Amino acid sequence: MARAPLPTERLELLMGWGGAVGSAAYIYRPSTVPQLKEAFSNARVMGRTVTLRGAGRSYGDAALGRENVVIELTRMNRILAWGPASGIITCQPGVTIKQLWEYTIEDGWWPPVVPGTMFPTLGGVLAMNIHGKNNFKAGTIGEHMLAFDFLAASGEALHVDREADAELFNAIVGSFGMLGCFTSITLQLKKVYSGDVDVKVLIANNLRELIQIYEENIPKSDYLVGWIDAFATGASLGRSIVHQANYITPGTDPTPVQSLRLTHQNLPDAIMGIVPKSIVWIFMRPFTNNVGVRFVNWAKFISSKISPKKQFRQAHAAFAFLLDYVPNWQKSYGKGGLIQYQSFIPKASAEAAFRKQLEVCRRESIVPFLAVFKRHRADRFLMTHAVDGYSLALDFKVTARNRARLWKLTEKLNEIVLAAGGRFYMAKDATLTREAFRSYLGSETLAKFKALKARFDPESMLESELSRRLL
Ligand SMILES: Cc1cc2nc3c(=O)[nH]c(=O)nc-3n(C[C@H](O)[C@H](O)[C@H](O)COP(=O)(O)OP(=O)(O)OC[C@H]3O[C@@H](n4cnc5c(N)ncnc54)[C@H](O)[C@@H]3O)c2cc1C
């Protein structure tokens, strides 16, 4: 492509959410579909490829495009139609999960699948086909989409219906912004009869107990999430705290009108009523190192174990968005930021594979500061990350000294995942290699995806740093 002069006033430095990867790009923020088309035309004229971006909440480089035109969809953020009786909502792609639940909860509807943060956009979560703490039961967000409008990179506009166009639907959902842009999304929400969920705290003394707890509780849980203390070794390797949560059945909340109010859902503005949340990450910074996190993990595990409070009611937002309690907590990791490495392993090999991963991290002296464990189910989406099994998401601090070693460590972790028949997840990724990508997806899936790319994006207009690395 011939390159035209560039509008330097549009040049911005964009970072992945973890702050470990970033690059400068020419940013456009359309508020209408005609403006979106114009941004594509501008890119053609400038001889640039395009990266789509939602709220930039992917940990790595999925929404980055060095020297690209980046089209950020956050201004296309209107709710287009809402049925308080049916729970069906139609939104523009820049509507966030926060906007969504705040709009519908007082009518008794909650998003059926949410990530650990409420700030992603619907376009972004659909492009990655995100999962929540209820993946084993509710599947991914794509399973709750009824239809969407889509502007392919070729300029073709499509309306895709879950039933009538099942194959196309299952291929576009999860296609990580490589085929075109969602321009409107219709979603079926989940009826709730209270603004709270019932939460139970369960303690696992090691990895085997953790998996046993999950398998026993799956039939009786709506949500399950586990935090592993990755510093624990030997007989305690995999020790963890599990939170199980269940929706409240009709008639069991004596005051549902009150609990469904926004005021009941809002996360507190200050920690212990004193410290403004916006500055808490600064106080976390001195502890975000091996010694500090080892101590915090130990203290959290012991206090949860001995605490008599093993059951409580919690507002939906407080349970779902724990990671939003401290805004910008990722900054506490320092200048180098963090990467998250999440892998998905079939049930039969999960215990052995995750044990090996934790041991390799210890051996290489790069221990993850946060390790989150979830149960998943397989699904029908072409580019799926899910398996009938478990995932472990590991947050690693990145420093100038450990960066090269850390990237090498992820290759060792990849080998364990591939040997166990596992998968990876592009929403979190910053390090995956092309070989590992090909290996887990398989040649048939990749061929199907490339055929769709040729159909919807014949000029290869859509690229991200992640796609340059993997495709
Ligand atoms: C603290 C935290 C917790 C998280 N917890 C979870 C979790 O529990 N489960 C989970 O699955 N994920 C989780 N995530 C990841 C997050 O949900 C995904 O990365 C999601 O895609 C982010 O949405 P976004 O709007 O920020 O999109 P971005 O990160 O900006 O973009 C993501 C992808 O979507 C594409 N895209 C964006 N908008 C559109 C559009 N309109 N049309 C087509 N493509 C588009 C982009 O090209 C890119 O490939 C978490 C992230 C954070 C920071």
Side-chain angles (χ1 to χ4, degrees):
M1 270 187 205
R3 291 186 159 194
L6 300 162
T8 45
E9 68 277 11
R10 291 198 177 268
L11 199 58
E12 280 183 28
L13 175 65
L14 300 173
M15 299 301 290
W17 185 82
V21 286
S23 59
Y26 299 88
I27 192 141
Y28 286 76
R29 296 190 174 87
S31 59
T32 62
V33 173
Q35 280 188 350
L36 170 64
K37 289 183 181 166
E38 202 182 304
F40 269 100
S41 306
N42 286 338
R44 275 195 187 89
V45 170
M46 293 191 292
R48 301 274 151 176
T49 50
V50 172
T51 305
L52 299 173
R53 185 173 171 95
R57 250 59 189 187
S58 292
Y59 276 73
D61 52 5
L64 300 178
R66 185 178 300 277
E67 296 190 17
N68 269 11
V69 163
V70 168
I71 303 180
E72 192 199 273
L73 280 308
T74 48
R75 290 178 67 224
M76 290 180 65
N77 61 358
R78 279 184 300 125
I79 290 171
L80 302 171
W82 167 231
S86 64
I88 296 176
I89 193 159
T90 301
C91 303
Q92 289 189 321
V95 166
T96 61
I97 297 283
K98 177 176 192 287
Q99 243 179 302
L100 180 67
W101 72 259
E102 287 187 348
Y103 193 76
T104 60
I105 192 158
E106 293 204 19
D107 292 327
W109 299 92
W110 179 254
V113 172
V114 295
T117 171
M118 63 175 104
F119 300 109
T121 64
L122 289 185
V125 301
L126 200 51
M128 288 304 184
N129 200 15
I130 62 129
H131 60 264
K133 302 173 182 70
N134 54 356
N135 188 250
F136 60 91
K137 188 158 182 183
T140 55
I141 188 82
E143 297 183 45
H144 304 271
M145 294 286 163
L146 303 177
F148 55 79
D149 291 329
F150 191 67
L151 180 70
S154 61
E156 185 188 352
L158 297 102
H159 177 79
V160 185
D161 181 272
R162 177 167 84 171
E163 305 299 333
D165 318 295
E167 200 177 336
L168 199 55
F169 185 97
N170 295 336
I172 294 179
V173 171
S175 58
F176 59 109
M178 285 299 107
L179 303 178
C181 185
F182 297 102
T183 52
S184 114
I185 291 157
T186 300
L187 175 65
Q188 171 68 66
L189 301 190
K190 162 94 186 146
K191 184 76 196 154
V192 287
Y193 300 92
S194 166
D196 290 333
V197 283
D198 276 325
V199 183
K200 219 184 229 181
V201 181
L202 306 157
I203 301 292
N205 291 302
N206 53 48
L207 198 54
R208 178 151 300 165
E209 271 185 38
L210 176 62
I211 292 183
Q212 272 165 7
I213 286 178
Y214 268 76
E215 292 305 314
E216 276 164 26
N217 283 282
I218 279 166
K220 45 187 179 186
S221 305
D222 289 320
Y223 297 90
L224 280 168
V225 59
W227 288 273
I228 295 182
D229 172 6
F231 282 90
T233 52
S236 299
L237 185 136
R239 76 174 175 199
S240 34
I241 306 161
V242 179
H243 279 190
Q244 176 215 44
N246 281 325
Y247 293 117
I248 288 170
T249 48
T252 347
D253 179 351
T255 54
V257 174
Q258 284 92 326
S259 70
L260 286 165
R261 281 198 189 128
L262 269 187
T263 44
H264 181 72
Q265 298 296 324
N266 284 340
L267 303 181
D269 285 334
I271 303 281
M272 292 185 290
I274 312 167
V275 188
K277 277 199 325 184
S278 55
I279 60 164
V280 169
W281 69 267
I282 299 169
F283 295 99
M284 288 166 64
R285 204 162 178 164
F287 300 97
T288 313
N289 53 48
N290 282 327
V291 177
V293 177
R294 180 196 289 267
F295 173 74
V296 169
N297 280 3
W298 171 83
K300 196 173 145 198
F301 179 77
I302 298 297
S303 62
S304 292
K305 192 168 174 167
I306 59 177
S307 166
K309 195 180 166 200
K310 291 275 192 302
Q311 245 170 312
F312 48 90
R313 280 194 169 175
Q314 198 172 23
H316 285 285
F319 176 77
F321 308 122
L322 190 67
L323 290 170
D324 292 336
Y325 269 75
V326 176
N328 296 320
W329 59 264
Q330 78 279 20
K331 288 190 187 166
S332 71
Y333 277 71
K335 267 201 229 132
L338 75 127
I339 59 166
Q340 185 176 100
Y341 179 94
Q342 186 175 18
S343 56
F344 299 72
I345 311 270
K347 185 176 142 183
S349 35
E351 185 188 333
F354 290 135
R355 178 180 301 281
K356 270 192 210 154
Q357 285 195 345
L358 292 168
E359 283 168 353
V360 170
C361 294
R362 291 284 304 185
R363 251 200 325 273
E364 299 294 323
S365 304
I366 309 183
V367 179
F369 288 179
L370 187 67
V372 176
F373 195 69
K374 289 187 196 140
R375 181 72 162 92
H376 300 270
R377 73 180 190 196
D379 59 48
R380 55 180 187 265
F381 296 95
L382 182 67
M383 302 300 281
T384 186
H385 56 272
V387 296
D388 178 7
Y390 289 91
S391 77
L392 181 60
L394 305 172
D395 285 10
F396 293 101
K397 178 170 173 155
V398 182
T399 63
R401 277 185 62 202
N402 82 357
R403 194 173 172 109
R405 274 194 309 124
L406 178 53
W407 260 245
K408 276 268 166 251
L409 169 66
T410 64
E411 285 179 28
K412 291 186 181 160
L413 301 179
N414 292 348
E415 284 167 20
I416 299 170
V417 177
L418 293 173
R423 305 181 79 86
F424 304 97
Y425 186 22
M426 287 168 275
K428 308 295 181 69
D429 185 50
T431 63
L432 199 63
T433 60
R434 192 170 293 201
E435 295 66 41
F437 182 69
R438 284 194 183 152
S439 183
Y440 91 86
L441 281 172
S443 51
E444 201 183 318
T445 299
L446 267 177
K448 280 188 189 164
F449 187 71
K450 285 188 175 164
L452 287 165
K453 182 85 177 153
R455 173 179 163 194
F456 290 121
D457 186 15
E459 301 160 274
S460 293
M461 282 293 286
L462 285 169
E463 268 188 9
S464 62
E465 288 186 30
L466 178 134
S467 79
R468 285 174 184 157
R469 181 159 49 83
L470 298 181
L471 282 176

